[in-house]
Amino acid sequence: MKKIILNISLVGSVLLSLGALQSCNDALETNPQPGMIQDDGTPFENTDALYGYLMGSVYGTLEPSTAMYLSAVISDEVKPGSGSGGQEFSLHRFFLNSQDAQATAIWQNNYAVINHVNRLVRGAEAITPVSTADGARLNNIVAQARALRAYAYLQLESLYSENMADPNALGVILLKDVPDLNAKLPRVKNSEIYSFIEEDLTYAKSVLTSESTNQYFVGKSAVNAIAARYFLYKGDYAQAKANAQAVINAAAGNFPLTPATPYTVNDANGNPLPVDGTAWRNQFYAVGASFNPYRSMWVDASRGESIFSLGRIAAAGNGAAVGSYWNTNNSSISGSPMWFWGRNLYNLLLAGYNNGTGGDIRYLTYRDPSSIPNANYAALYPNNLAQTRTSDRLVVDKYPGKQGSNTRNDLKLLRLSEMYFILAECAINDNQLSTAAGYIKNVRDARNYLGPTTLPTYANQQAAWADVLKERRIELALEGHRYIDLKRLATKAGVTMDRNNTDDIVLTSNLDNGDYRYTLPIPLSEISANPNIQQNTGY
């Protein structure tokens, strides 16, 4: 497997050289140099060096924004923007092959993280703690790293395994340690990957028994949240439920569901400003200072319900600027939007708001008010497809940047709302439809500034799956879930990918349920150098 190891080394070196050394503000003073690997097999002198390597080469290498971008572009979340130069149009139109840059980057990045964790774990074995406290710190560092390794394998499995629910289906390459550069390893069954993931999660849980001091470090709830998602994707609903419930139980006082209120603010005379009016917008959309808790979370002014985030410092340039995927300069119609909201997803946001009578804060939060929706967008199809890009302009504002940057936001990898959705899926699996409805209501209530919402009722499991999928589509938009969710749930829900006819400048189409392109191809660079690896079906 020579090629993959070379790619991993290259990716790590490039990321480090670009300054992707820290995952949060706490890491700014960390110098990863003491953690550089030595040829003698004892790469770390002490726990300080180990910590430096954790921050610089594990947290600092992890870059899930590529997967978030791919998920949005290939699914039904976005359409070409007025400032687009044609980037990823082929992916948007489902021309997906083993040379796709996004699929290759996701593969390489997650294996870079795995490789770095393997080196950290190996190096930690050679360190002799100088005190009990030092030993506890060493174990804590290893536990964080192993949890992130489990997360990286979960990412790979969810995108490159054709069926995570089948333990005998083909998984990905299993790297348990630092392999020889000449090794050419095959892919293994999902069950083998799962055993390794569960070993990592079990170890992390045994060590990380308390909450992290903030959302930028892996702590007890982050491990449980990773486990909840993993077991859900695997189809082990009992374990998914137990882990998601553990996160929710710990959320009170730490990271509860972020409320939609207050949503009103007064003028200088103490009179409420009209919601979504110009004066109200100036305070709601203020970078780093929004009075609304939900908007405040998305401009990184507060933690909100984030369980675990990768910090993106405004001035330091660490990691990708996720907002720049959607908008070149800033999240406004004049900011050269690369991608707009897909029209049908925007319609769901708009319906929840319903001219202020619906009360869904996500409409106000996710779309920039400079958007120019065209009420007659349907009339533009099919006679003038090109006009749809310039007449129906739905500006993405979920990643508006933070104080000091128009495009840089923390990557919120695990949020509490997802745990409620996981519990809902577990309840549906057990045919407890009213219980599932209650979990969906929990999230909708939190997002509604007018008060409690109506409890949904489901005639059958299919209707319940459809509602969960719909709510996940709205709440978790552009967070990397939609592509995987359609693969997992669309058939159960009796729905398909849902693009609007105006979502491209050519005739739009949707992937059929079960299409092989719901699984990413193994990169050509890996296939070419590794004769023992097997490509996925269809590629």
Side-chain angles (χ1 to χ4, degrees):
M1 206 179 73
K2 185 175 182 179
K3 184 66 175 182
I4 190 171
I5 302 304
L6 293 177
N7 282 339
I8 286 171
S9 300
L10 177 61
V11 170
S13 298
V14 169
L15 287 172
L16 290 172
S17 67
L18 289 176
L21 299 177
Q22 294 87 23
S23 67
C24 58
N25 293 334
D26 303 75
L28 277 175
E29 298 179 359
T30 299
N31 182 353
Q33 291 300 319
M36 298 304 288
I37 302 298
Q38 303 297 321
D39 292 336
D40 61 3
T42 57
F44 306 108
E45 297 178 359
N46 50 42
T47 52
D48 285 340
L50 195 70
Y51 178 78
Y53 192 77
L54 172 71
M55 300 310 302
S57 295
V58 180
Y59 280 105
T61 296
L62 186 62
E63 188 51 75
S65 66
T66 309
M68 295 177 179
Y69 180 56
L70 178 142
S71 176
V73 171
I74 200 173
S75 68
D76 49 16
E77 292 188 318
V78 295
K79 64 179 181 178
S82 54
S84 172
Q87 71 292 329
E88 280 71 65
F89 275 21
S90 60
L91 182 65
H92 187 60
R93 295 165 188 168
F94 312 130
F95 293 106
L96 183 61
N97 58 46
S98 61
Q99 298 181 66
D100 181 80
Q102 312 304 318
T104 299
I106 294 167
W107 176 271
Q108 291 181 348
N109 181 254
N110 283 286
Y111 273 114
V113 173
I114 291 165
N115 184 50
H116 292 165
V117 173
N118 291 349
R119 291 173 181 271
L120 183 148
V121 172
R122 183 190 68 177
E125 295 173 353
I127 296 176
T128 301
V130 297
S131 66
T132 301
D134 192 48
R137 184 187 183 209
L138 184 149
N139 291 337
N140 185 281
I141 291 168
V142 172
Q144 290 184 61
R146 291 184 65 173
L148 292 175
R149 184 168 63 184
Y151 177 86
Y153 269 119
L154 175 56
Q155 286 284 92
L156 289 167
E157 282 285 296
S158 65
L159 293 168
Y160 297 92
S161 174
E162 295 182 23
N163 183 6
M164 278 193 71
D166 181 0
N168 293 314
L170 200 58
V172 293
I173 296 170
L174 180 59
L175 297 179
K176 289 188 174 183
D177 50 26
V178 181
D180 184 274
L181 286 177
N182 295 316
K184 293 180 174 62
L185 302 178
R187 296 169 68 181
V188 299
K189 292 180 180 180
N190 284 337
S191 58
E192 293 185 51
I193 302 292
Y194 294 166
S195 293
F196 197 55
I197 289 175
E198 291 173 26
E199 287 176 14
D200 277 346
L201 292 174
T202 298
Y203 177 82
K205 285 183 179 184
S206 71
V207 174
L208 302 174
T209 56
S210 60
E211 297 299 333
S212 174
T213 56
N214 58 49
Q215 71 270 32
Y216 300 116
F217 290 90
V218 172
K220 175 183 178 180
S221 287
V223 178
N224 286 333
I226 294 169
R229 184 187 295 177
Y230 157 71
F231 283 114
L232 181 76
Y233 288 3
K234 178 187 175 184
D236 187 338
Y237 291 98
Q239 286 293 328
K241 178 180 178 180
N243 282 278
Q245 189 63 61
V247 177
I248 290 172
N249 291 345
N254 293 304
F255 43 87
L257 282 173
T258 307
T261 55
Y263 77 102
T264 57
V265 65
N266 296 336
D267 61 18
N269 297 319
N271 300 312
L273 295 172
V275 174
D276 210 20
T278 301
W280 180 91
R281 289 173 179 175
N282 289 338
Q283 297 193 50
F284 182 87
Y285 292 101
V287 177
S290 178
F291 63 86
N292 179 264
Y294 194 66
R295 176 67 180 184
S296 182
M297 176 177 68
W298 290 107
V299 295
D300 301 336
S302 63
R303 175 178 184 173
E305 66 186 49
S306 174
I307 303 166
F308 174 58
S309 297
L310 289 178
R312 293 294 181 252
I313 303 165
N318 65 310
V322 66
S324 65
Y325 286 125
W326 323 115
N327 301 288
T328 306
N329 302 312
N330 60 72
S331 54
S332 72
I333 197 64
S334 61
S336 192
M338 307 284 273
W339 296 92
F340 291 138
W341 285 114
R343 169 42 86 163
N344 288 346
L345 176 52
Y346 182 87
N347 286 346
L348 289 175
L349 293 169
L350 182 61
Y353 180 65
N354 194 21
N355 294 318
T357 64
D360 196 324
I361 199 68
R362 293 172 294 195
Y363 170 79
L364 296 169
T365 301
Y366 289 1
R367 71 86 173 94
D368 187 78
S370 67
S371 297
I372 307 176
N374 191 313
N376 298 314
Y377 67 90
L380 300 176
Y381 174 81
N383 297 323
N384 194 349
L385 289 170
Q387 190 180 348
T388 65
R389 284 178 59 192
T390 56
S391 61
D392 193 34
R393 293 174 280 181
L394 314 173
V395 181
V396 172
D397 199 26
K398 189 168 184 176
Y399 297 104
K402 60 176 69 182
Q403 193 71 46
S405 173
N406 288 327
T407 58
R408 300 186 64 79
N409 280 110
D410 298 345
L411 299 183
K412 299 159 188 66
L413 304 189
L414 299 164
R415 292 198 292 122
L416 190 63
S417 52
E418 183 190 355
M419 300 299 109
Y420 281 92
F421 296 146
I422 290 174
L423 289 182
E425 287 193 46
C426 294
I428 295 169
N429 182 72
D430 293 337
N431 205 30
Q432 298 173 351
L433 303 187
S434 61
T435 300
Y439 291 130
I440 297 301
K441 184 180 184 319
N442 286 143
V443 176
R444 289 177 178 164
D445 286 353
R447 301 297 176 254
N448 197 286
Y449 57 77
L450 296 180
T453 61
T454 302
L455 179 72
T457 56
Y458 306 131
N460 49 49
Q461 285 180 303
Q462 184 180 82
W465 289 120
D467 203 37
V468 170
L469 186 57
K470 172 186 172 182
E471 199 62 27
R472 287 180 66 95
R473 182 183 186 186
I474 297 170
E475 177 64 30
L476 304 177
L478 306 188
E479 296 178 53
H481 294 271
R482 182 62 174 171
Y483 176 63
I484 299 168
D485 284 350
L486 286 169
K487 179 180 179 179
R488 294 190 307 113
L489 297 178
T491 299
K492 288 182 177 181
V495 301
T496 62
M497 187 183 288
D498 180 37
R499 289 182 176 179
N500 189 275
N501 283 335
T502 65
D503 281 356
D504 204 341
I505 57 175
V506 298
L507 185 65
T508 57
S509 60
N510 292 289
L511 285 183
D512 293 332
N513 292 345
D515 191 284
Y516 73 91
R517 286 164 291 188
Y518 274 117
T519 303
L520 296 184
I522 305 300
L524 179 63
S525 57
E526 183 67 42
I527 295 288
S528 298
N530 183 359
N532 295 324
I533 196 167
Q534 182 177 331
Q535 182 59 277
N536 280 321
T537 302
Y539 299 105

